[in-house]
């Protein structure tokens, strides 16, 4: 099991992207239903990467995922920003969320459900994939690494 403390450390750790993910030119999935992107992150403490998936027919239906490779559990999604794909129900709380929302992996959901990152909270501050990426990078402490040093997304 991955503890809540580890999840928070992974999210808070300094991470760097070598170059921006071009959200306007994501690759098409083999079935043609999604646009996909991925980028490995530079992080001294943890092995992490970003995955992006966007529905071709409904662009507001997207996910931006912070993946972490745990030495025991393997690859897990510790944080996921979702667009508006209808709604989400937090199964344990029986709470329904409408619109964009943010998933965080929790010990409780690992123990009691089959969806470790099944807990979500309403998102505020983004409505589209570009806005979500800005907020995702801020929340996950991700900067761009350039030849001159590091820059936060908002510095561009």
């Amino acid at each position: 099991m991955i503890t809540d403390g580890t999840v928070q450390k992974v999210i808070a750790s300094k991470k760097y992207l070598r170059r921006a993910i071009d959200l306007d030119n994501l690759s098409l999935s083999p079935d043609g239903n999604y646009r996909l992107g991925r980028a490995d992150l530079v992080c001294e403490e943890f092995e992490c990467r970003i995955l992006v998936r966007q529905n071709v027919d409904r662009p507001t239906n997207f996910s931006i995922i912070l993946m972490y490779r745990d030495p025991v559990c393997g690859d897990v999604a510790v944080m996921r920003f979702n667009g508006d794909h209808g709604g989400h129900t937090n199964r344990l709380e029986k709470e329904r969320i409408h619109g964009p929302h943010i998933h965080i992996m929790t010990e409780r959901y690992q123990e009691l459900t089959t969806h470790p990152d099944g807990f979500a909270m309403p998102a505020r501050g983004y409505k589209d994939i570009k806005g979500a990426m800005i907020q995702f990078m801020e929340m996950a402490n991700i900067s761009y690494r350039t030849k001159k040093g590091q820059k936060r997304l908002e510095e561009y």
Side-chain angles (χ1 to χ4, degrees), residues 137-149:
M137 289 181 64
E138 288 172 357
M139 189 168 171
N141 200 15
I142 300 169
S143 300
Y144 290 113
R145 178 164 274 175
T146 67
K147 292 179 183 176
K148 295 178 185 177

Side-chain angles (χ1 to χ4, degrees), residues 16 21 33 39-40 44 47 49 52 55 66 81 91 113 135 150 154:
Y16 301 97
I21 297 172
N33 292 326
D40 292 328
E44 289 182 16
E47 188 176 342
R49 68 182 183 280
V52 178
N55 187 291
L66 176 61
F81 276 42
R91 293 177 182 188
T113 75
Q135 191 173 352
Q150 300 85 282
E154 63 270 10

Side-chain angles (χ1 to χ4, degrees), residues 92-110:
L92 299 178
E93 296 80 6
K94 296 179 176 57
E95 171 190 42
R96 184 89 172 141
I97 299 170
H98 298 280
H101 51 278
I102 301 168
H103 290 264
I104 303 285
M105 174 187 257
T106 66
E107 290 178 43
R108 186 167 176 248
Y109 271 73
Q110 289 175 78

Side-chain angles (χ1 to χ4, degrees), residues 25-36:
N25 292 299
L26 298 171
S27 302
L28 201 57
S29 65
D31 63 10
N33 292 326
Y34 295 96
R35 296 175 21 187
L36 305 171

Side-chain angles (χ1 to χ4, degrees), residues 12-118:
S13 66
K14 283 193 167 291
K15 295 173 281 299
Y16 301 97
L17 263 175
R18 289 187 181 93
R19 64 182 168 277
I21 297 172
D22 186 352
L23 297 173
D24 292 322
N25 292 299
L26 298 171
S27 302
L28 201 57
S29 65
D31 63 10
N33 292 326
Y34 295 96
R35 296 175 21 187
L36 305 171
R38 123 181 219 142
D40 292 328
L41 296 169
V42 177
C43 179
E44 289 182 16
E45 299 174 69
F46 305 102
E47 188 176 342
C48 298
R49 68 182 183 280
I50 297 174
L51 300 179
V52 178
R53 183 187 74 191
Q54 184 177 37
N55 187 291
V56 169
D57 296 328
R58 295 184 321 155
T60 59
N61 181 359
F62 61 82
S63 295
I64 303 172
I65 307 165
L66 176 61
M67 298 295 296
Y68 157 61
R69 178 163 287 162
D70 181 77
V72 176
C73 298
D75 291 336
V76 294
V78 294
M79 184 172 77
R80 176 166 37 107
F81 276 42
N82 279 6
D84 188 355
H85 60 75
H88 168 79
T89 300
N90 285 330
R91 293 177 182 188
L92 299 178
E93 296 80 6
K94 296 179 176 57
E95 171 190 42
R96 184 89 172 141
I97 299 170
H98 298 280
H101 51 278
I102 301 168
H103 290 264
I104 303 285
M105 174 187 257
T106 66
E107 290 178 43
R108 186 167 176 248
Y109 271 73
Q110 289 175 78
E111 289 173 0
L112 301 174
T113 75
T114 57
H115 301 280
D117 68 340

